[in-house]
Amino acid sequence: FYPKASTPGCTKQANFFNDALEDIKAKGFEVFGVSKDNFGPLEKFKASQGLNYELLSDHGLDVASHFGVKKGASVTRSVWVANKSGKVLGGRPCSPADSVDVAMQIIGTNDSSSTVEAETTDQQSKNQDVEM
C-alpha cells in the first residue's frame, strides 16, 4: 500500500519494487501496488515510471480498511505478502527505502510448509485469508 501515485516517496517505493521484481518473481511471488488513486492517474504513473507490475485502485479504501492500514482519507505505507492461495503471510508498515527488504524478509521466512505471524498493529488480524 502506498498513499499517492507520483509523489516522491511513492515513486521511490514503486521503483525499488520494479528493480527487485525479477528476484521476487524468482521466489514465486508477484508485485501489486495499491493506492486510493483512480485508474487514470495510476496508468499515467505506471507508464511514466516504466513499472512492470500492476497498480490497483482502492478508491473507497475498502481493502485498506480490511488490512487495517486506512489512515483517514489515505493509507499507511505498508507491505503485505500473500501466497498464491490468498493467505496473508505477513505485513507491516514501512518506509519507501525498506519496503523491498520487508517484503523479502517475509518471503524468506515463509515456504510452502510454514507461516509466520504478521507484525501488525492492534487493528490488524494475523494470517487473514483474502481474495486476490
Side-chain angles (χ1 to χ4, degrees):
F1 288 90
Y2 61 98
K4 186 169 176 55
S6 300
T7 58
C10 297
T11 299
K12 287 178 188 176
Q13 183 179 25
N15 283 299
F16 289 146
F17 273 107
N18 207 49
D19 293 345
L21 189 60
E22 291 309 313
D23 290 338
I24 293 169
K25 284 185 170 192
K27 295 186 179 294
F29 291 83
E30 296 290 330
V31 173
F32 298 93
V34 182
S35 77
K36 71 171 198 155
D37 295 301
N38 289 320
F39 291 111
L42 290 178
E43 287 301 313
K44 187 175 181 180
F45 179 54
K46 181 179 175 181
S48 72
Q49 297 303 311
L51 302 178
N52 296 311
Y53 59 90
E54 295 303 317
L55 301 179
L56 308 175
S57 175
D58 181 23
H59 190 68
L61 298 173
D62 296 328
V63 177
S65 292
H66 180 78
F67 279 87
V69 298
K70 181 180 174 190
K71 182 178 169 184
S74 188
V75 299
T76 299
R77 183 184 315 280
S78 56
V79 170
W80 293 88
V81 176
N83 65 19
K84 290 185 184 212
S85 67
K87 184 170 186 93
V88 175
L89 303 176
R92 67 176 188 239
C94 61
S95 71
D98 71 358
S99 57
V100 171
D101 289 340
V102 168
M104 294 302 276
Q105 180 183 28
I106 296 167
I107 290 168
T109 58
N110 287 276
D111 62 29
S112 60
S113 63
S114 67
T115 59
V116 296
E117 292 184 9
E119 294 183 29
T120 60
T121 64
D122 292 340
Q123 302 168 354
Q124 299 160 337
S125 62
K126 296 176 187 162
N127 293 328
Q128 304 170 42
D129 288 323
V130 295
E131 283 189 32
M132 300 299 284

